[in-house]
Amino acid sequence: MELRDLIGSLKSLLEKEKEILIEFPIKNVDEFMEIQEKKRQLLLEISKYSKEELSSFQEEILKISELNSTISALLMNHISFFEEFEKELFGEKLTYRESEKKQNLFNGRV
C-alpha cells in the first residue's frame, strides 16, 4: 500500500472513531475495537517510512493530529462520566485513576 493511501486510511478511521465516540454511550463496541486494531496496523505500516517521506504529507498529518486530540478529549469525557457515575454509586473514595492506589482484596494488599 502506498504512503498516501495509508495516511488517507488512517484519517478515515479516525473520523469514523470520532463519530462513534460522539454518540454516547458507544452503541457498537465491536466496531470501535475493530477500528483500534486497524489503526494499530496502519500506524505500524506508516512507521516504516522515514521522516523525509512523511514530510510531504504535513497537512494530512496535522489533520490526523487534530482528530487524535479530539478523540482523546472525547475519551476523557467518557471516563469522567463513568467516574461520576461510580462516585454516585460507591461514594467519593474510588475512581478509575485512584483504583490502583487503593488497597483491596484484588491487588493482594489487604
Side-chain angles (χ1 to χ4, degrees), residues 20-53:
I20 288 172
L21 290 171
I22 286 174
E23 292 182 28
F24 185 78
I26 296 174
K27 291 179 178 39
N28 192 343
V29 175
D30 292 334
E31 182 181 12
F32 180 77
M33 296 306 292
E34 184 179 315
I35 288 172
Q36 300 310 304
E37 180 57 29
K38 287 179 182 178
K39 275 182 11 183
R40 187 186 69 78
Q41 291 171 355
L42 284 172
L43 289 170
L44 281 172
E45 287 296 316
I46 291 171
S47 71
K48 295 176 183 175
Y49 290 89
S50 70
K51 184 178 178 180
E52 291 79 25
E53 291 172 306

Side-chain angles (χ1 to χ4, degrees), residues 1 3-17 35 38-43 46 60-61 64-65 67-68 71:
M1 197 176 222
L3 181 56
R4 180 178 307 283
D5 296 335
L6 291 170
I7 290 173
S9 295
L10 179 59
K11 185 177 167 189
S12 295
L13 282 175
L14 288 169
E15 288 170 348
K16 190 182 290 186
E17 181 180 16
I35 288 172
K38 287 179 182 178
K39 275 182 11 183
R40 187 186 69 78
Q41 291 171 355
L42 284 172
L43 289 170
I46 291 171
E60 290 90 352
I61 292 172
I64 286 171
S65 178
L67 281 167
N68 198 40
I71 289 167

